[in-house]
Structure formats: structure tokens, C-alpha cells
Amino acid sequence: MKHKSKMKVVDIGHTTNNLFRAMTTLETAVSEASFSGTIRAIKIITGHGSGQLRDAVREWCNEQEGRFKAVIPGEDYDMFHSDAVDMREECNQPYDVDYGRKNRAITYIWLW
């Protein structure tokens, strides 16, 4: 039996959207996932670029204090990060290609 992943992937880094539009897309995706009851985490792809979008996403996440169970930068997403290990297990996500790759172009949000 195949287990359905409880992780949603949101790519806001590979579009023609400006920063405001990308952040609006992120907020919408987080709100929809939070209310869905089936999504437990969101993998946000910001792309490598200048880092402006990545920084904006992480700053926004920090401003949402208490809204998320954890926020995990892609560069910390490995077997040595207890939240990463626990989130992967809860989300039935054993084969994430970015696990252990120190990918700065990704941020994970673990929802309550």
C-alpha cells in the first residue's frame, strides 16, 4: 500500500512573480494547508538566485512565531536535525531528494 505524503511542495522561486506576489502565494499556500487538515508540512522552493526571496521567506516565518511547529532551513535538513527527522516521519516523506544536501534554496515549514 502506498502512503500518501502529507508534505506540500510550493515553488515560488521559479516563477516570474515579484517578491510581493511570491510572498502572497506562500501565505495562501500556508493558509490552505493549515485548514486542509491533511497537509503537515510545506517545502518552499525559493531558488538560488540572489537570496532575497529566501531571506524574505525566512524572515516571514520568524514573524509568524507560534504558528508553526518548526521552520527548517534546507541547509539544516538532515539526520542531525531532530525536527527534520520527526517531520519526515510524520509526513510519510522518507525519500526527499533534498534530505542531507544542504540546499539553501529550500525552507521547510512543519505545521501544527
Side-chain angles (χ1 to χ4, degrees):
M1 172 178 9
K2 185 175 180 182
H3 295 284
K4 185 171 181 181
S5 173
K6 297 176 185 175
M7 183 180 293
K8 177 178 183 145
V9 177
V10 178
D11 186 346
I12 58 174
H14 298 98
T15 66
T16 58
N17 293 337
N18 63 26
L19 183 61
F20 175 78
R21 185 101 166 147
M23 295 305 294
T24 301
T25 300
L26 172 61
E27 172 63 46
T28 301
V30 168
S31 293
E32 287 173 353
S34 294
F35 288 113
S36 79
T38 58
I39 301 297
R40 299 293 301 126
I42 301 171
K43 177 180 182 177
I44 306 155
I45 302 172
T46 56
H48 289 283
S50 68
Q52 181 182 10
L53 181 55
R54 176 193 64 236
D55 293 345
V57 165
R58 292 181 182 180
E59 182 179 325
W60 178 83
C61 288
N62 288 335
E63 291 169 357
Q64 307 297 309
E65 186 176 340
R67 185 175 181 189
F68 310 125
K69 195 170 190 177
V71 176
I72 307 164
E75 56 271 29
D76 296 336
Y77 186 61
D78 60 30
M79 69 174 123
F80 303 108
H81 194 287
S82 62
D83 284 337
V85 171
D86 294 345
M87 182 187 74
R88 288 179 71 222
E89 182 179 335
E90 183 177 309
C91 293
N92 296 321
Q93 192 69 32
Y95 304 112
D96 188 334
V97 67
D98 290 301
Y99 188 66
R101 295 193 62 197
K102 307 259 182 240
N103 189 345
R104 291 175 49 103
I106 295 172
T107 302
Y108 293 85
I109 296 175
W110 189 7
L111 303 172
W112 286 108

